[in-house]
Amino acid sequence: MGITKTQMFSEKQNDLAQFFKVLGHPARVAILQYISNQNACICNDLVEEIGLAQATISQHLKELKSIGLLNGEVEGKSMCYCINVERWTTIQDQLNSFFNTTKSNCC
Amino acid sequence: MGITKTQMFSEKQNDLAQFFKVLGHPARVAILQYISNQNACICNDLVEEIGLAQATISQHLKELKSIGLLNGEVEGKSMCYCINVERWTTIQDQLNSFFNTTKSNCC
DNA sequence: TTTATATATTGCAATATTACGATAATATTT
DNA sequence: AAATATTATCGTAATATTGCAATATATAAA
């Protein structure tokens, strides 16, 4: 089938899985690392830096935006993408909470 | 295409993305949570508990094993799956390291 | 040994993801 | 206004993932 049966799971479980999923592609990991390494949050240098087509990068950026990890603002004719630190921290906390509570009862 | 161009990325980036990807499905999140909630690491109660077909659960377990998150051992005619706590902690550390280093330089 | 139970694997259908070229949309420069 | 540059979206092809029924495998019980 190829369709995930999300209705079987809690909203929390689906959200958590969604975060993990969005982070689960090396291009998106690389994009986040690159954005953070530039003190300024300059943008589609990403196309050159990463080496995927512009359309592809744009798609990956869209997915990162979809979970609120990136803010984008118009900068002349370019877009300036920037990590949303507050959201970043929230997601990190949620993932850690998952890791900590899940590990604790194990044999 | 549908094929991820892993050769463009570092081994670390690919590994990190792989961990995220395996965790990026609600059934696998639920499986880990259920295994951890049972003090004993009893197993395919999972089929009943989660409500997916036996073949599907078995596949998800295989993916969790593939990144070393689960240990399985034969228990009579059943399998007893168990979170590999050492591996669990290692992965948690790697994810946190990614989160911390990536967040720190942002505007 | 036969039967029953639990898990893994195989094969398949349906949907999702990845990637890119082409094109549209937007803003800047001339 | 026209030309240029940057990003987003659309359409499409190739591959991956999800899920299940059917089957294989392995162990336990009768």
Side-chain angles (χ1 to χ4, degrees):
Chain A
M1 301 170 173
I3 188 168
T4 297
K5 298 192 158 179
T6 53
Q7 75 283 359
M8 290 183 159
F9 306 101
S10 72
E11 195 178 335
K12 274 200 174 184
Q13 288 169 328
N14 283 313
D15 283 353
L16 200 53
Q18 185 60 28
F19 299 151
F20 280 126
K21 190 174 181 180
V22 168
L23 294 167
H25 191 289
R28 294 192 285 271
V29 168
I31 286 172
L32 291 171
Q33 288 175 331
Y34 184 75
I35 291 182
S36 103
N37 281 337
Q38 307 301 105
N39 302 27
C41 300
I42 311 300
C43 201
N44 271 27
D45 318 309
L46 283 169
V47 176
E48 282 184 29
E49 182 65 24
I50 306 225
L52 292 169
Q54 182 268 321
T56 308
I57 296 290
S58 190
Q59 230 174 239
H60 283 304
L61 288 168
K62 191 177 177 182
E63 292 185 68
L64 290 166
K65 274 183 284 180
S66 78
I67 57 167
L69 266 187
L70 291 184
N71 292 331
E73 56 181 69
V74 180
E75 181 104 347
K77 56 189 164 187
S78 311
M79 283 292 288
C80 178
Y81 280 109
C82 180
I83 292 175
N84 181 334
V85 180
E86 195 180 354
R87 183 79 174 125
W88 186 259
T89 305
T90 303
I91 289 178
Q92 182 177 14
D93 288 347
Q94 283 181 256
L95 301 197
N96 269 313
S97 164
F98 166 73
F99 269 91
N100 292 330
T101 61
T102 302
K103 151 174 78 179
S104 60
N105 276 331
C106 190
C107 57
Chain B
M1 302 173 172
I3 188 168
T4 297
K5 298 193 160 180
T6 53
Q7 75 282 0
M8 290 183 158
F9 306 101
S10 72
E11 195 179 334
K12 273 199 174 182
Q13 288 169 330
N14 283 313
D15 283 354
L16 201 53
Q18 184 61 28
F19 299 151
F20 281 125
K21 190 174 180 182
V22 169
L23 293 167
H25 191 289
R28 294 193 285 270
V29 167
I31 286 172
L32 292 170
Q33 288 174 329
Y34 184 74
I35 291 181
S36 105
N37 280 337
Q38 309 299 105
N39 301 26
C41 299
I42 311 299
C43 201
N44 271 30
D45 319 310
L46 283 168
V47 177
E48 283 185 26
E49 182 65 22
I50 306 225
L52 292 168
Q54 182 268 321
T56 307
I57 296 290
S58 189
Q59 230 174 239
H60 284 304
L61 287 168
K62 192 178 178 181
E63 292 184 69
L64 290 167
K65 274 184 283 180
S66 79
I67 57 167
L69 266 186
L70 291 184
N71 292 332
E73 56 180 68
V74 179
E75 181 105 347
K77 57 188 163 186
S78 310
M79 282 293 288
C80 177
Y81 279 109
C82 180
I83 290 175
N84 181 333
V85 179
E86 196 180 353
R87 184 79 174 125
W88 186 259
T89 304
T90 303
I91 290 178
Q92 181 177 16
D93 288 347
Q94 283 181 255
L95 301 198
N96 268 314
S97 164
F98 166 73
F99 269 91
N100 291 330
T101 61
T102 302
K103 149 174 82 180
S104 60
N105 276 332
C106 190
C107 58

